[in-house]
């Protein structure tokens, strides 16, 4: 079985870990922080990202945890309309809407979708070495792991 080490437990790292796992890879995800903290406020998950989440069977959960946008307006500080987007039309065309969601909610959905033992918290990469067709990741606690692929997220 192919093995991947992913460095970084943010939205990108979590999503990457889920995708590799669903494609049969042995996955090890390392996050330097001691916990996945609810950093930030609301974010928008655009239609293209929702399509990726749909392939991972997570789009419905994200939609239910967030708020589908119907329209978006860009205005000046004085209120003059610069542009507008009818999101409902795009959603009908592409099958997904833009979802407004708390970052912490999205991180929870993604981390809950990981298989047990994949996520390693308080695990800081110090360096890596290449050994033939493998890569070895070295961590601040003295541990190390070998894999076929190392992904920085």
């Amino acid at each position: 079985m192919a093995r991947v080490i992913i460095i970084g437990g943010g939205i990108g790292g979590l999503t990457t870990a889920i995708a590799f796992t669903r494609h049969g890879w042995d996955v090890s995800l390392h996050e330097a922080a001691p916990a996945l903290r609810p950093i930030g406020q609301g974010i928008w998950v655009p239609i293209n990202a929702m399509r990726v989440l749909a392939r991972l069977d997570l789009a419905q959960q994200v939609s239910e945890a967030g708020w589908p946008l119907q329209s978006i307006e860009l205005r000046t500080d004085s209120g003059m309309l610069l542009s507008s987007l009818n999101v409902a039309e795009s959603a009908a065309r592409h099958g997904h809407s833009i979802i407004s969601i708390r970052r912490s909610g999205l991180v929870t959905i993604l981390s809950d979708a990981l298989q047990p033992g994949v996520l390693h918290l308080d695990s800081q990469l110090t360096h890596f070495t290449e050994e033939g067709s493998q890569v070895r990741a070295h961590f601040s606690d003295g541990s190390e792991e070998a894999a076929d692929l190392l992904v920085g997220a």
Side-chain angles (χ1 to χ4, degrees):
M1 174 184 298
R3 179 166 170 72
V4 61
I5 299 168
I6 301 167
I7 306 300
I11 292 167
L14 292 166
T15 305
T16 302
I18 295 164
F20 270 104
T21 300
R22 303 256 172 107
H23 281 90
W25 286 63
D26 180 19
V27 177
S28 183
L29 171 61
H30 294 264
E31 168 56 43
L36 296 179
R37 291 182 285 246
I39 299 169
Q41 295 295 321
I43 61 171
W44 287 356
V45 182
I47 292 170
N48 60 339
M50 289 301 294
R51 292 174 76 178
V52 170
L53 292 170
R55 286 194 295 268
L56 299 174
D57 297 321
L58 296 171
Q60 186 66 36
Q61 279 181 270
V62 172
S63 292
E64 290 172 0
W67 301 268
L69 300 180
Q70 299 299 313
S71 65
I72 299 171
E73 293 183 347
L74 179 61
R75 295 181 176 268
T76 66
D77 60 352
S78 65
M80 184 177 85
L81 180 65
L82 296 174
S83 68
S84 63
L85 172 65
N86 184 334
V87 179
E89 288 176 4
S90 294
R93 189 171 43 239
H94 298 288
H96 298 283
S97 184
I98 298 172
I99 303 297
S100 179
I101 188 171
R102 285 189 171 89
R103 183 184 187 283
S104 60
L106 180 57
V107 167
T108 297
I109 290 167
L110 295 172
S111 62
D112 287 351
L114 292 173
Q115 293 180 350
V118 167
L119 179 61
H120 306 278
L121 296 170
D122 204 15
S123 181
Q124 185 171 5
L125 178 74
T126 58
H127 67 284
F128 67 91
T129 55
E130 294 180 63
E131 301 171 356
S133 64
Q134 293 237 303
V135 62
R136 183 168 298 276
H138 302 264
F139 299 95
S140 60
D141 66 358
S143 66
E144 53 186 60
E145 289 185 29
D148 303 290
L149 180 65
L150 176 67
V151 176

